[in-house]
Amino acid sequence: MRVYVPLTLPGLAEAHRTGQLGEGPFTAYAVTPALREWYLSDDIEELEYAALGRAALASLRLLAADPAAPRRRVVVAVDVADGAASADPGRGPERDALGEVRLAGPVRLAKAAAVHVDAEDAEEDVAAAARALDAADEGDDDARSVVDGAEDHELLWFATQEVPQLVA
């Protein structure tokens, strides 16, 4: 099963240093039954892209909580055993929980398939989105538009061998 782990650049640096993602149960995103139902698609590539987008939004939330982190969203795509990730069926219909899964323990960074990171030219929009996130969550349409501005930036794909350069 492919899962998408939201991080920040400092979080990626820590994962690179320790060789692992997460420490004990932690949240990632994947193609779950609730995400399939919400997205109304059977195309696995579209569904994985939607899960990646959910993880990118979670990365934005991590940035909002860490004002010292560079304003670039980071998502690590990693393949885990099917039973390693579990969705909470009680949270399925909640929009905020779409695609959300829990991993019981750490995952070796060596299992990562790819790393997705914003380009430097996205930093201004990502910074604005991080500042607007709380207001957007409270229903402010202008703030929602600012958050959507960050989502307009495609995350770049990097091979795992490029992690040292990303965190340097």
Side-chain angles (χ1 to χ4, degrees):
M1 167 183 241
R2 167 104 4 126
V3 298
Y4 299 90
V5 180
L7 294 173
T8 61
L9 282 173
L12 182 61
E14 179 67 11
H16 176 63
R17 187 184 68 72
T18 64
Q20 71 181 29
L21 297 164
E23 291 185 11
F26 67 98
T27 301
Y29 294 82
V31 177
T32 62
L35 184 71
R36 283 181 186 274
E37 185 177 322
W38 172 73
Y39 202 74
L40 298 175
S41 175
D42 290 328
D43 184 324
I44 191 64
E45 287 183 14
E46 287 181 15
L47 291 165
E48 286 183 347
Y49 185 75
L52 172 66
R54 302 296 298 161
L57 179 59
S59 175
L60 184 65
R61 291 187 185 290
L62 293 172
L63 290 172
D66 183 1
R71 307 285 91 180
R72 295 169 73 186
R73 298 168 297 166
V74 177
V75 175
V76 177
V78 63
D79 295 319
V80 299
D82 286 341
S86 60
D88 180 353
R91 291 198 63 199
E94 295 177 33
R95 179 163 163 67
D96 289 345
L98 288 171
E100 188 175 292
V101 296
R102 297 289 286 166
L103 294 166
V107 176
R108 291 180 347 145
L109 185 58
K111 292 195 175 268
V115 178
H116 303 272
V117 181
D118 275 310
E120 287 181 22
D121 69 353
E123 286 183 1
E124 187 176 316
D125 288 339
V126 171
R131 288 189 303 269
L133 201 51
D134 286 341
D137 287 346
E138 293 173 9
D140 183 316
D141 289 335
D142 291 335
R144 182 76 239 164
S145 179
V146 172
V147 171
D148 290 345
E151 293 173 4
D152 288 343
H153 292 275
E154 294 287 329
L155 296 176
L156 302 177
W157 181 95
F158 293 91
T160 56
Q161 298 89 327
E162 297 175 274
V163 169
Q165 290 80 24
L166 288 170
V167 300

